[in-house]
Amino acid sequence: MTTDKNNNGIAEFDNQVKIQEYAEAYQLYDLMHGRSHGREWKSSVFFVIALIMFFILSMEHFNLVKVPAATIVLLISSYMCTHYLYLLPRKAKLLGEHIYKSSHLLSKSCHFKIERDNFTLKNDYEYIKKYNTDITDCIETDEMFVLMGGIDKKIVVISKRCLDEQQYEVLSHHFQARMVKQYRRTKQLRGK
């Protein structure tokens, strides 16, 4: 890691993302901005509907023929709970794996230069400079940093596996200090 006091340099390092890391990062992106966004309240609504239908069926002694509408709504509501809680996040992770496999740029090693107000990443084929104001979300997990936002690249993944302890502590402190509203620290995703 090198720093440049005149240019407000924070860190400079090489990083390469694996398919599993990118898939988890894309799943986080989908939870924040994709189809899985708001899945908690959506599944809660369907869960309440399912409970009401279950109550109606219990009042009729589970005679499914007597109240077929309640039975159908109960089945649909149960499926929708499962859809929002388990199927959509799994689908997003699979989509992230597909994106990684279909783009040869994502598997290339990138050189990052983190400065006070921006960061750059470059490899043999691309050069991207993003300012902190372009970042809508900065999420730190146990394995990586995920920077979301911008037009040219929706998510940028920095794997902690490629950093030494001092480097990721400096990055963590920098992101917390410079991206106060965007920064979140989260545990590893459940249901991987």
Side-chain angles (χ1 to χ4, degrees):
M1 173 175 69
T2 61
T3 58
D4 181 9
K5 299 295 181 193
N6 297 331
N7 199 16
N8 296 318
I10 305 298
E12 197 168 336
F13 54 88
D14 290 323
N15 202 283
Q16 186 171 13
V17 177
K18 291 185 176 180
I19 188 168
Q20 187 67 22
E21 294 167 332
Y22 189 83
E24 290 175 18
Y26 194 83
Q27 186 179 19
L28 279 171
Y29 171 78
D30 189 64
L31 288 171
M32 301 293 292
H33 301 286
R35 291 175 37 188
S36 297
H37 181 68
R39 71 186 181 123
E40 294 87 4
W41 73 264
K42 292 173 185 175
S43 63
S44 297
V45 168
F46 284 109
F47 181 73
V48 169
I49 293 170
L51 283 177
I52 292 169
M53 295 304 117
F54 187 78
F55 178 74
I56 291 171
L57 284 171
S58 69
M59 295 297 291
E60 296 296 328
H61 302 293
F62 296 100
N63 187 352
L64 303 180
V65 177
K66 195 171 185 180
V67 279
T71 306
I72 293 170
V73 172
L74 175 65
L75 291 173
I76 292 171
S77 298
S78 299
Y79 171 77
M80 292 306 289
C81 284
T82 305
H83 176 73
Y84 282 113
L85 291 177
Y86 300 107
L87 299 178
L88 271 183
R90 176 75 178 133
K91 193 174 187 178
K93 189 172 182 177
L94 291 174
L95 181 59
E97 289 176 3
H98 174 71
I99 291 170
Y100 185 91
K101 289 176 185 175
S102 63
S103 171
H104 88 266
L105 292 178
L106 293 174
S107 62
K108 299 288 182 198
S109 179
C110 292
H111 182 75
F112 279 86
K113 185 174 182 183
I114 311 291
E115 296 179 347
R116 193 186 83 183
D117 296 325
N118 63 61
F119 69 90
T120 58
L121 70 100
K122 66 179 176 177
N123 59 29
D124 295 337
Y125 304 102
E126 65 182 344
Y127 175 85
I128 296 175
K129 182 174 186 173
K130 285 194 175 195
Y131 290 91
N132 294 350
T133 53
D134 294 337
I135 304 301
T136 57
D137 292 290
C138 174
I139 299 174
E140 180 182 355
T141 69
D142 293 338
E143 295 86 22
M144 64 190 136
F145 296 97
V146 182
L147 305 169
M148 301 176 195
I151 297 170
D152 48 0
K153 209 169 195 169
K154 290 181 185 176
I155 60 174
V156 174
V157 182
I158 301 172
S159 174
K160 288 183 178 179
R161 173 183 45 78
C162 299
L163 304 173
D164 63 36
E165 188 173 333
Q166 181 187 9
Q167 285 175 321
Y168 78 74
E169 285 178 5
V170 166
L171 282 180
S172 181
H173 177 70
H174 167 70
F175 290 141
Q176 287 177 42
R178 300 301 298 171
M179 299 183 192
V180 177
K181 292 183 179 180
Q182 299 97 325
Y183 179 84
R184 290 180 189 89
R185 174 79 165 105
T186 184
K187 298 279 184 196
Q188 187 171 343
L189 290 175
R190 290 176 279 158
K192 291 198 300 184

